[in-house]
Amino acid sequence: MCKTVILTGTVMSSASNSSHVLEWSIEDVEKWLKMKGYGSCAPVFRNQMIDGRALLLLNENDLKSTNQLTLGHVKNLSWEIRQLKIDSRQLLLDHGYDPINLQTVSRASNATIQRPDVDQVLSAYSVSGDYEYLQNSSSHQSSEDGRASELRPEFSKALIALAYLFVVTWITAFVMVIVHDRVPDMKRYPPLPDIFLDNVPHIPWAFHMCEWTGTLLLVIWMVVLLLHKHRFILVRRFFALSGTVFLLRCITMLITSLSVPGTHLQCQPRPPSSGPEDYAIAEIFSKMKQAYVIWKGAGMSIQGVRTCGDYMFSGHTVALTMLNFFITEYTPRDIYLLHTFTWMLNMFGIFFILSGHEHYSIDVFIAFYITSRLFLYYHTLANNQSLMQRDTGRTRIWFPLFSFFESDVDGIVPNEYDTLFTLTQKIINFVRLGFNKAVFLFQKYVTSLTANTNSSEREALRKNKKKEK
């Protein structure tokens, strides 16, 4: 059995300017064990030929299998190895290794990795047990299972994401007015051939059913947001992704105008504004009014909104798919009934869109593909810190919103929920904090106003005295 021995000497001085744990030799591992106070365990590691790479790959079961370590040493050494993995994360990335599986990743062909000395890492530890290296390491360290170590609400980012979605929805409404006015003439350009639309009869009430399906998904998502502990992270991700997809939809709508998919649709351009003077200004104001009607009704026919020309790609499919993916992602994996139900709503909603002959099949397919891929790409990057750190420059260029919103998230957002009691307390505390802040600002304003008034009165009094003299 090995015994814990605390070194009383000074810390070994650094012999090189870099330290790469994967290049540690068996002797370097022995140095690390002695520095951590487990020098008597070094023979066990030497007999098992444990070098730096093997050390990072060790787990608790491996330590137990030696049959030469006590349970306390197994637990403590497991903890030390986990800390070493966290401490070496950035170092491994800099030297071209994936910190998760320790495999070599792409790097410049002429790059060489010099064999470092273990003493640099060891010198960061003091003999009293204070881990300076751990304190000086990056503040963003995810846990071993990939979960984020610290998650802050970041209200300001949620507000920015809301503002982004607000602007995009206005742009979308305005673009929908433009494409409606330039929709191709149904007599000259009849509906295009479509496998689904040509073989499924038109169902008049189907499109309304699609929108009620989306409304039900929205209600479920609102309940998830209300109860989720990290609701502000979820809501900013939802706003950012939804805004990005709908902004892309604006571009595709403007580029190409498809013919109307169904003969039942009444698609006539609006009459131009009358009056020769200020025609352009009047036309813009007219379009803005129409855009406000679309925006206010969220583009839904159940709200009395009817538009044509916005076919590539389906905004209703985007909304259904985005809500479904967010609900399934941020609810526990074992709630199979809920996930099956949301997927059924998603698929039935798409079926209703096509049955109502409101979109071509290609519109729906492309909308589902783009929405699902963008959701998966975003969350793959957000949940894998190594992917974010490995190519930060390209990520900032291609995903600027992602780089901004996820800069302080270092792993997977866990699905944790508040009870109704806890949620009520949070709401009360939030209202109380807002009220206290409002009272403080009001008192500050009154104090400032009183001070200015007194200063003005003193100045007036001083001038009167001068006049009297």
Side-chain angles (χ1 to χ4, degrees):
M1 298 294 179
C2 61
K3 298 180 179 178
T4 304
V5 179
I6 304 298
L7 297 181
T8 56
T10 58
V11 180
M12 291 180 289
S13 61
S14 176
S16 69
N17 293 328
S18 63
S19 186
H20 186 2
V21 66
L22 286 183
E23 298 295 327
W24 285 5
S25 65
I26 298 175
E27 290 74 18
D28 290 333
V29 174
E30 286 191 76
K31 289 182 183 180
W32 180 77
L33 288 168
K34 291 176 182 178
M35 193 61 214
K36 301 302 296 176
Y38 299 97
S40 57
C41 297
V44 178
F45 282 69
R46 172 177 285 277
N47 293 338
Q48 300 294 332
M49 304 295 291
I50 303 298
D51 57 6
R53 185 184 296 271
L55 181 65
L56 289 180
L57 293 172
L58 285 179
N59 55 40
E60 191 170 313
N61 291 330
D62 295 331
L63 296 175
K64 289 179 180 179
S65 65
T66 63
N67 295 323
Q68 300 183 54
L69 302 175
T70 64
L71 181 60
H73 284 109
V74 168
K75 294 292 184 181
N76 289 327
L77 283 171
S78 297
W79 186 87
E80 297 289 357
I81 293 172
R82 285 197 297 270
Q83 292 299 319
L84 183 62
K85 289 179 181 179
I86 295 175
D87 297 341
S88 306
R89 180 187 297 273
Q90 188 59 50
L91 194 62
L92 294 172
L93 288 168
D94 293 341
H95 285 81
Y97 292 93
D98 190 327
I100 298 176
N101 53 28
L102 306 184
Q103 297 298 314
T104 306
V105 296
S106 59
R107 56 175 185 255
S109 58
N110 60 347
T112 57
I113 300 177
Q114 299 180 349
R115 185 189 180 283
D117 195 321
V118 70
D119 295 338
Q120 183 182 4
V121 173
L122 297 180
S123 63
Y125 293 92
S126 66
V127 294
S128 63
D130 297 328
Y131 305 123
E132 299 175 4
Y133 181 81
L134 185 62
Q135 294 173 352
N136 295 329
S137 61
S138 172
S139 60
H140 306 303
Q141 297 175 345
S142 59
S143 61
E144 192 177 18
D145 62 356
R147 292 191 176 190
S149 58
E150 182 180 357
L151 292 171
R152 296 183 292 111
E154 298 182 292
F155 305 108
S156 59
K157 288 185 178 181
L159 291 176
I160 292 173
L162 176 60
Y164 170 65
L165 181 63
F166 177 82
V167 172
V168 169
T169 53
W170 258 105
I171 295 174
T172 302
F174 192 78
V175 170
M176 289 173 70
V177 174
I178 295 175
V179 298
H180 178 88
D181 290 345
R182 69 179 207 185
V183 64
D185 183 18
M186 294 178 62
K187 295 179 180 179
R188 294 181 58 189
Y189 302 98
L192 298 172
D194 187 284
I195 293 177
F196 189 93
L197 302 187
D198 293 343
N199 293 279
V200 176
H202 171 240
I203 304 175
W205 47 265
F207 199 59
H208 283 356
M209 284 299 299
C210 158
E211 294 181 345
W212 285 116
T213 300
T215 303
L216 180 56
L217 280 171
L218 179 62
V219 170
I220 297 173
W221 172 235
M222 294 294 290
V223 173
V224 173
L225 275 180
L226 185 65
L227 297 178
H228 205 286
K229 283 187 176 181
H230 309 294
R231 57 186 67 87
F232 288 101
I233 296 177
L234 272 59
V235 78
R236 78 167 181 245
R237 288 181 174 182
F238 181 78
F239 289 158
L241 282 170
S242 300
T244 300
V245 178
F246 276 98
L247 189 60
L248 178 61
R249 180 173 179 260
C250 291
I251 298 173
T252 59
M253 285 191 297
L254 277 173
I255 290 175
T256 304
S257 295
L258 299 178
S259 58
V260 178
T263 56
H264 67 286
L265 296 172
Q266 300 298 323
C267 297
Q268 299 295 332
R270 294 180 302 106
S273 300
S274 58
E277 297 182 359
D278 299 330
Y279 172 79
I281 297 177
E283 186 68 13
I284 291 175
F285 272 105
S286 176
K287 284 182 167 58
M288 290 295 293
K289 289 180 180 178
Q290 291 294 325
Y292 174 72
V293 173
I294 296 173
W295 181 83
K296 183 178 66 173
M300 300 174 66
S301 62
I302 58 176
Q303 296 286 343
V305 177
R306 297 298 301 181
T307 58
C308 297
D310 54 329
Y311 298 128
M312 183 58 68
F313 43 89
S314 169
H316 284 72
T317 304
V318 169
L320 290 167
T321 306
M322 192 69 74
L323 289 168
N324 173 34
F325 273 63
F326 266 94
I327 293 170
T328 53
E329 176 70 19
Y330 293 108
T331 50
R333 294 290 181 266
D334 53 355
I335 309 182
Y336 305 112
L337 185 61
L338 175 63
H339 296 170
T340 303
F341 180 63
T342 58
W343 269 103
M344 288 178 60
L345 290 177
N346 193 175
M347 294 299 104
F348 271 108
I350 291 174
F351 173 78
F352 288 138
I353 293 173
L354 295 174
S355 299
H357 289 206
E358 296 283 345
H359 277 281
Y360 290 106
S361 301
I362 188 65
D363 303 345
V364 172
F365 173 77
I366 291 179
F368 181 83
Y369 184 83
I370 290 177
T371 306
S372 60
R373 292 316 95 182
L374 190 60
F375 178 92
L376 293 174
Y377 295 157
Y378 190 101
H379 284 78
T380 298
L381 285 173
N383 294 342
N384 291 274
Q385 181 75 1
S386 60
L387 295 177
M388 293 174 61
Q389 292 180 344
R390 187 186 305 167
D391 207 355
T392 54
R394 185 180 299 176
T395 302
R396 289 193 185 99
I397 293 173
W398 288 102
F399 301 100
L401 285 175
F402 169 83
S403 300
F404 172 70
F405 287 130
E406 305 300 327
S407 58
D408 292 330
V409 179
D410 60 354
I412 300 172
V413 176
N415 287 328
E416 302 170 341
Y417 302 91
D418 288 324
T419 62
L420 290 177
F421 176 75
T422 306
L423 182 62
T424 304
Q425 281 188 322
K426 286 185 176 182
I427 294 174
I428 292 174
N429 292 335
F430 180 78
V431 172
R432 184 181 300 166
L433 181 64
F435 177 77
N436 292 338
K437 190 172 183 178
V439 170
F440 171 76
L441 293 175
F442 178 74
Q443 290 177 344
K444 186 177 180 180
Y445 170 76
V446 171
T447 303
S448 175
L449 186 63
T450 304
N452 291 335
T453 303
N454 293 336
S455 177
S456 300
E457 291 177 352
R458 286 195 298 269
E459 183 66 20
L461 184 62
R462 186 176 63 82
K463 289 181 179 180
N464 291 333
K465 287 183 178 180
K466 282 185 178 182
K467 289 180 179 180
E468 291 175 358
K469 290 180 179 179

